[in-house]
């Protein structure tokens, strides 16, 4: 039972966390899904900052993460990470998905953020099978929390009922989550 990990149902754009994580793409210039929702709610200041980052560092490779402000969102910061596109599982997808979680958590730890909220990275437009992705998310986050004091709390924010059910199931199996 990991008391620092919470599974909740809801909209990540409404979360008052120190950082919310965006399931972005390598261009950092916005898109659909949770990325579109975050940019709509944050307003133009976020896109302007992303454009600057895209120009200065050429975007964000798959598995890596970058930090920006949060515009009009109730969160303080947005961590943009890029999950893998599902291509059948033989293209390093599992490692890249774990890296996306780990690098986001590392940024939160560096900035001493108390709370970070994640969507189910790669499980929408990028097609990663939801059950396999849930297992990786829970395992990666649990391992990180065992080794670090920050972030103090991680929220897994499930937009859809299926993700919520899968996270609950996997957490009961691994007995890691409160
Ligand atoms: N709050 C929380 N979760 C959400 C929300 C929300 N408001 N909206 C959707 N989700 P996706 P990906 C869930 O497609 O698969 C974009 O175009 C959704 O139900 O947003 O990583 C980017 O620019 C799903 O479980 O991200 C990239 O091009 C999860 O968020 C590409 O999509 C992820 O779905 C990234 O694809």
């Amino acid at each position: 039972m990991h008391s620092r990990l919470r599974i909740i149902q809801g909209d990540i754009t409404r979360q008052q966390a120190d950082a919310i994580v965006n399931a972005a793409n390598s261009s950092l210039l916005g898109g659909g899904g949770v990325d579109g929702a975050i940019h709509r709610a944050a307003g133009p200041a976020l896109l302007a900052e992303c454009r600057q980052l895209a120009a200065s560092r050429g975007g964000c490779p798959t598995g890596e993460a970058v930090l920006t402000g949060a515009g009009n969102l109730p969160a303080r910061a947005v961590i943009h990470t890029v999950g893998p596109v599902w291509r059948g599982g033989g293209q390093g997808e599992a490692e890249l998905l774990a890296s996306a979680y780990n690098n986001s958590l590392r940024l939160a730890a560096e900035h001493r953020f108390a709370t970070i909220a994640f969507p189910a990275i790669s499980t929408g437009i990028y097609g990663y099978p939801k059950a396999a992705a849930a297992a990786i998310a829970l395992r990666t986050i649990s391992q990180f929390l065992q080794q670090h004091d920050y972030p103090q709390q991680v929220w897994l924010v499930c937009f859809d009922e299926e993700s919520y059910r899968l996270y609950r199931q996997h957490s009961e199996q691994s007995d890691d989550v409160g």
Side-chain angles (χ1 to χ4, degrees):
M1 186 92 165
H2 209 301
S3 57
R4 289 162 61 199
L5 187 41
R6 293 260 183 276
I7 298 164
I8 56 181
Q9 241 184 323
D11 178 347
I12 203 162
T13 66
R14 311 289 290 273
Q15 306 301 317
Q16 291 187 27
D18 289 312
I20 64 167
V21 175
N22 182 16
N25 61 63
S26 290
S27 79
L28 295 176
L29 298 179
V34 72
D35 194 4
I38 287 172
H39 275 283
R40 273 194 302 279
L46 181 62
L47 188 58
E49 201 177 338
C50 285
R51 284 210 177 100
Q52 275 182 355
L53 269 178
S56 64
R57 45 173 292 162
C60 179
T62 303
E64 295 188 16
V66 295
L67 182 93
T68 65
N72 299 327
L73 291 165
R76 284 171 51 201
V78 179
I79 292 173
H80 307 261
T81 191
V82 183
V85 176
W86 179 256
R87 294 198 171 89
Q91 308 289 316
E93 290 94 330
E95 293 76 13
L96 288 166
L97 186 60
S99 290
Y101 280 97
N102 264 321
N103 285 320
S104 300
L105 289 163
R106 222 168 272 149
L107 272 180
E110 276 166 27
H111 290 267
R112 289 274 187 275
F113 289 148
T115 50
I116 180 173
F118 280 97
I121 298 166
S122 282
T123 66
I125 292 163
Y126 280 0
Y128 207 110
K130 284 176 188 277
I136 290 171
L138 288 165
R139 188 170 64 236
T140 307
I141 294 167
S142 297
Q143 281 171 0
F144 192 94
L145 291 179
Q146 275 160 24
Q147 293 157 3
H148 298 82
D149 293 334
Y150 286 88
Q152 293 169 336
Q153 286 264 337
V154 177
W155 304 338
L156 288 169
V157 182
C158 304
F159 200 54
D160 54 291
E161 181 74 38
E162 191 190 356
S163 295
Y164 181 74
R165 190 175 48 75
L166 286 166
Y167 274 134
R168 302 254 32 133
Q169 261 175 21
H170 279 276
S171 66
E172 279 157 23
Q173 279 159 19
S174 60
D175 201 28
D176 272 339
V177 190

